[in-house]
Amino acid sequence: MKTKRLSPVAVTSIVLGVIVAICLIFGIGTYNSLAKQNQAVEAQWSQVENVMQRRADLVPNLVNAVKGQMGQEQKVFGEIAEARKSYANANTTTGKAKADDQLNKSVGTLINVIKENYPSLQSSNQVNTLMTQLEGSENRISVERKRYIDKVRDYNQSVVTFPKNIFASMMGLGKKDTFKATPSAQTVPSVDFSSNSSSTGK
């Protein structure tokens, strides 16, 4: 019995079909991978915003707790008010991060002033608890922002690498903005009030 040989046209059709199937499988896998990475980045940014918002919500409590006994520190309170306003108005990732850095710096200045010049306030359970919560919030923010930066780095590498960049373009996915931690945001600013400590100390 003779085996029927496939015609060149049939062989070509089969080969093309296999190639299309492979491309389709690869395309679906790439699409799913990019979609998951995109969702992971957005989810991590939501977590960053959650911890930043928690710190932002604590700030008015500390200000209200100490403002009555710190009448000479209006400059510090003004900086905090401006930083909170900028934070509330920021609507981009980099803008939000920059505003958060400024808020952290101004709150750090306030905490340092309290520790340096207002021992009676620092010994208050309410004030001490709020300062501890704010400092703890900054640690959590640093951790979550680092995780976000890492996820954005991995995602951006994917969307610019061939052939994933083709699918990323088809999906409307581009590189995401990231940021670097501001060095001043990692430490409490050093403030010297020695020249008026005798008049402000309580």
Side-chain angles (χ1 to χ4, degrees), residues 90-158:
N91 53 20
T92 64
T93 299
T94 51
K96 206 77 170 178
K98 183 178 180 179
D100 179 74
D101 285 338
Q102 187 58 42
L103 180 60
N104 178 56
K105 182 179 179 181
S106 60
V107 172
T109 299
L110 175 61
I111 290 175
N112 198 42
V113 170
I114 293 172
K115 290 179 177 180
E116 290 286 329
N117 301 295
Y118 297 89
S120 62
L121 282 176
Q122 188 178 353
S123 64
S124 164
N125 288 336
Q126 180 189 13
V127 173
N128 193 270
T129 297
L130 287 168
M131 289 195 302
T132 300
Q133 289 176 338
L134 283 165
E135 290 169 344
S137 292
E138 176 54 30
N139 291 334
R140 284 190 287 273
I141 290 171
S142 296
V143 170
E144 298 300 342
R145 284 176 58 160
K146 174 63 167 58
R147 290 173 179 169
Y148 173 78
I149 290 170
D150 289 343
K151 287 187 181 298
V152 170
R153 179 200 62 214
D154 294 341
Y155 167 86
N156 284 344
Q157 287 176 349
S158 293

Side-chain angles (χ1 to χ4, degrees), residues 38-187:
N38 183 57
Q39 290 175 355
V41 170
E42 293 184 358
Q44 184 57 41
W45 176 246
S46 294
Q47 182 59 23
V48 173
E49 285 196 304
N50 285 339
V51 291
M52 289 195 304
Q53 188 61 53
R54 179 182 183 277
R55 196 256 303 279
D57 291 341
L58 286 171
V59 172
N61 296 333
L62 178 62
V63 170
N64 291 334
V66 303
K67 196 170 185 178
Q69 299 183 55
M70 296 178 64
Q72 298 188 28
E73 315 300 345
Q74 292 305 310
K75 182 174 183 291
V76 177
F77 295 129
E79 290 174 351
I80 291 175
E82 282 298 314
R84 291 187 67 237
K85 182 178 179 181
S86 296
Y87 177 83
N89 292 335
N91 53 20
T92 64
T93 299
T94 51
K96 206 77 170 178
K98 183 178 180 179
D100 179 74
D101 285 338
Q102 187 58 42
L103 180 60
N104 178 56
K105 182 179 179 181
S106 60
V107 172
T109 299
L110 175 61
I111 290 175
N112 198 42
V113 170
I114 293 172
K115 290 179 177 180
E116 290 286 329
N117 301 295
Y118 297 89
S120 62
L121 282 176
Q122 188 178 353
S123 64
S124 164
N125 288 336
Q126 180 189 13
V127 173
N128 193 270
T129 297
L130 287 168
M131 289 195 302
T132 300
Q133 289 176 338
L134 283 165
E135 290 169 344
S137 292
E138 176 54 30
N139 291 334
R140 284 190 287 273
I141 290 171
S142 296
V143 170
E144 298 300 342
R145 284 176 58 160
K146 174 63 167 58
R147 290 173 179 169
Y148 173 78
I149 290 170
D150 289 343
K151 287 187 181 298
V152 170
R153 179 200 62 214
D154 294 341
Y155 167 86
N156 284 344
Q157 287 176 349
S158 293
V159 298
V160 299
T161 303
F162 181 83
K164 285 187 176 182
N165 60 334
I166 298 175
F167 291 93
S169 178
M170 292 170 60
M171 294 167 62
L173 298 176
K175 291 182 67 176
K176 292 185 180 292
D177 291 335
T178 187
F179 49 82
K180 293 183 179 180
T182 303
S184 62
Q186 304 303 316
T187 57

